[in-house]
Amino acid sequence: MNDPADEATNLMDRERDYAAEDNMGRILGKIERALKKIDEGTYGLSDIDGTPIPIARLEALPYAATTVEQAENTLEG
């Protein structure tokens, strides 16, 4: 029989791995969306209303699909 502490550690490791994999999948989806926007000629424009996304935001987060304000409002609402 395995030690309960070892089992708990193994479970925690698996959950962390699943969370990391899920996060990577979400980021990959955002990157794919940004590449599609490049092809469409809409990269750098908000998905919400087409306003320009500031260059500083795109430099920090190249797959950003909204302005900071829009992202904050989306999280709040």
Side-chain angles (χ1 to χ4, degrees):
M1 183 170 206
N2 290 337
D3 180 18
D6 289 341
E7 289 296 323
T9 299
N10 290 338
L11 177 61
M12 189 171 65
D13 289 344
R14 282 193 306 273
E15 288 176 353
R16 184 189 61 233
D17 291 345
Y18 292 145
E21 186 176 321
D22 186 52
N23 188 48
M24 285 187 291
R26 280 194 304 272
I27 291 173
L28 181 58
K30 292 176 181 182
I31 292 168
E32 289 171 347
R33 172 69 180 132
L35 292 171
K36 183 177 179 187
K37 289 178 74 163
I38 290 170
D39 289 342
E40 295 171 345
T42 60
Y43 180 77
L45 301 177
S46 168
D47 280 354
I48 293 175
D49 62 7
T51 59
I53 299 170
I55 296 297
R57 176 158 170 80
L58 293 172
E59 287 174 347
L61 198 66
Y63 51 80
T66 62
T67 65
V68 170
E69 295 80 13
Q70 291 169 336
E72 289 172 349
N73 288 337
T74 300
L75 291 175
E76 292 173 6

